[in-house]
């Protein structure tokens, strides 16, 4: 039987966000653009909007970072803001990411699902009108790399023109936050006019030499939240290197792994977190023997941690 109290503790841990340099850069840039947009509205002037491109590989923590950002959105200074105002609209780019399907998804997320089929142009005109009516300042598109999955130059240009039209709307310009994998750069760099409207923020891969202190501090942070102490073999440079490799250099995955290892320790009724907890959890997760477990193997750098069974074939 699952220990409900442990399951509840893990849920709490997964809801905790550990700030990092990339998130802080995102937060600063977003608040600068938000303050500027609110000031323009207060002054009754209209300028074309700007955007942020948050780029990182799968597991870097992009979705969690934007989610945290939107949860801490400062309230408008204007006390008379209408209740149906939606300053930031966020949704995942659907697949297939045709312009029509994305526009339909946007209308549904803003509370206006289509009842009849319409052309892509009409759908996006309607979406822009609803963004204006809801006083939306920013539109966040997660998994935005899907927008560049079109095969023809004409389709790519249509996507680019649509994004620019949102930011240049003479009645109500909307800023964009695009989060996605590195292939997102394909669409941004396709048109210099689009690229210059974005501030790029990249989730860099973790480095075992440069980022050891940050990794150990993050592990310590989650230990404090779980009320556990670190074992003698945990907060070392060797452990940090193994943890980074196991997460394929992705900060978000490293946090997931740490929470899973903490759950392993809690179920063993331990008061400390040891490397053995990471080793045991990874063995179950990847279905691998100790020889291809990055928390045990001597030559752990050769293990492909993205594959089940450590890519043993």
């Amino acid at each position: 039987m699952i220990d409900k109290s442990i399951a509840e503790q893990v849920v709490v841990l997964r809801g905790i966000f550990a700030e990092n340099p990339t998130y802080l850069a995102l937060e600063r840039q977003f608040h600068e653009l938000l303050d500027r947009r609110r000031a323009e509205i207060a002054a009754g002037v209209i300028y074309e909007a700007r955007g942020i491109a948050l780029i990182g590989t799968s597991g870097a923590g992009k979705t969690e970072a934007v989610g945290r950002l939107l949860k801490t959105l400062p309230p408008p200074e204007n006390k008379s803001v209408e209740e149906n105002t939606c300053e930031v609209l966020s949704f995942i780019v659907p697949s297939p990411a045709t312009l029509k399907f994305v526009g339909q998804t946007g209308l549904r997320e803003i509370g206006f699902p289509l009842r009849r089929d319409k052309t892509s142009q009409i759908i996006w005109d309607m979406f822009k009108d609803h963004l204006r009516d809801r006083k939306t300042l920013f539109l966040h598109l997660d998994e935005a790399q899907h927008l560049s999955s079109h095969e023809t130059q004409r389709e790519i240009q249509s996507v680019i023109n649509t994004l620019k039209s949102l930011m240049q709307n003479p009645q109500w310009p909307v800023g964009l936050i695009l989060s996605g994998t590195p292939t997102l750069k394909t669409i941004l760099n396709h048109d210099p006019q689009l690229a210059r409207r974005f501030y790029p923020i990249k989730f860099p891969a973790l480095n075992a030499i440069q980022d050891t202190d940050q990794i150990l501090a993050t592990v310590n942070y989650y230990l404090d939240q779980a009320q556990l102490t670190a074992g003698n073999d945990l907060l070392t440079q060797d452990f940090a290197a193994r943890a980074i490799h196991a997460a394929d250099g992705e900060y978000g995955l490293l946090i997931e792994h740490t929470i899973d290892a903490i759950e392993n320790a809690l179920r063993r009724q331990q008061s400390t977190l040891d490397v053995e907890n990471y080793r045991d959890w990874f063995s179950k997760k990847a279905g691998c023997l100790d020889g291809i477990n990055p928390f045990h193997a001597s030559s752990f750098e050769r293990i492909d941690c993205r594959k089940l069974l450590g890519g043993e074939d």
Side-chain angles (χ1 to χ4, degrees):
M1 179 181 293
I2 295 177
D3 188 327
K4 186 177 180 181
S5 64
I6 292 177
E8 290 171 345
Q9 290 180 67
V10 172
V11 169
V12 172
L13 289 174
R14 294 194 185 283
I16 295 172
F17 182 81
E19 294 183 350
N20 57 79
T22 303
Y23 171 76
L24 295 176
L26 169 66
E27 186 180 54
R28 282 194 302 271
Q29 189 59 69
F30 174 72
H31 282 274
E32 287 179 11
L33 294 179
L34 178 64
D35 291 344
R36 183 188 309 172
R37 188 73 179 88
R38 286 175 172 175
E40 290 168 356
I41 293 173
V45 296
I46 295 178
Y47 298 118
E48 63 179 42
R50 291 290 185 265
I52 297 173
L54 186 62
I55 298 172
T57 55
S58 177
K62 303 179 298 297
T63 301
E64 292 79 6
V66 177
R68 166 70 172 185
L69 183 71
L70 301 187
K71 286 180 180 178
T72 59
L73 186 70
E77 295 183 2
N78 184 2
K79 304 299 184 182
S80 63
V81 173
E82 300 173 6
E83 289 186 1
N84 69 339
T85 294
C86 175
E87 285 200 316
V88 182
L89 178 67
S90 174
F91 63 87
I92 299 174
V93 174
S95 182
T98 62
L99 271 179
K100 185 174 182 177
F101 197 12
V102 175
Q104 289 173 328
T105 303
L107 282 173
R108 183 173 64 250
E109 292 296 326
I110 207 167
F112 193 85
L114 283 177
R115 301 184 184 279
R116 291 181 296 177
D117 189 31
K118 298 182 184 297
T119 66
S120 177
Q121 181 63 51
I122 292 176
I123 289 172
W124 277 94
D125 286 342
M126 293 174 63
F127 187 36
K128 292 173 190 175
D129 288 342
H130 283 283
L131 290 173
R132 180 197 62 211
D133 293 343
R134 296 290 301 277
K135 302 295 187 294
T136 302
L137 306 184
F138 288 90
L139 173 64
H140 169 230
L141 300 179
D142 197 12
E143 303 293 346
Q145 73 274 3
H146 293 157
L147 294 170
S148 61
S149 62
H150 302 281
E151 297 181 355
T152 69
Q153 294 295 313
R154 181 178 179 180
E155 289 173 323
I156 292 176
Q157 193 59 51
S158 294
V159 171
I160 290 171
N161 292 341
T162 299
L163 294 178
K164 289 197 295 187
S165 71
L166 284 168
M167 305 171 85
Q168 294 176 302
N169 190 325
Q171 294 180 319
W172 189 264
V174 177
L176 296 177
I177 304 174
L178 305 181
S179 55
T181 62
T183 55
L184 173 58
K185 293 183 292 185
T186 301
I187 192 168
L188 294 175
N189 290 328
H190 188 81
D191 187 324
Q193 291 185 353
L194 180 66
R196 70 174 177 82
R197 292 178 169 86
F198 279 85
Y199 295 92
I201 296 177
K202 182 180 179 181
F203 269 91
L206 296 171
N207 182 281
I209 297 176
Q210 297 178 347
D211 299 315
T212 293
D213 289 344
Q214 178 189 348
I215 296 311
L216 298 184
T218 298
V219 172
N220 246 334
Y221 175 76
Y222 280 94
L223 284 176
D224 289 343
Q225 301 301 314
Q227 298 182 339
L228 297 177
T229 58
N232 294 330
D233 61 350
L234 189 65
L235 300 181
T236 66
Q237 188 169 2
D238 178 71
F239 161 74
R242 292 174 181 274
I244 289 172
H245 185 77
D248 201 23
E250 302 302 344
Y251 187 73
L253 282 179
L254 187 140
I255 290 176
E256 287 186 25
H257 295 179
T258 296
I259 294 173
D260 288 329
I262 288 174
E263 181 178 8
N264 182 277
L266 293 174
R267 295 199 182 283
R268 290 182 172 193
Q269 297 184 328
Q270 296 175 208
S271 60
T272 63
L273 180 69
D274 304 300
V275 174
E276 183 181 353
N277 299 117
Y278 282 86
R279 183 187 306 152
D280 186 52
W281 160 79
F282 194 91
S283 177
K284 294 177 182 178
K285 174 255 182 187
C288 64
L289 301 175
D290 284 347
I292 47 178
N293 187 319
F295 294 102
H296 184 275
S298 57
S299 301
F300 65 89
E301 298 94 340
R302 298 165 56 185
I303 300 171
D304 187 344
C305 295
R306 286 279 189 175
K307 293 182 179 180
L308 295 179
L309 304 176
E312 61 183 9
D313 294 337

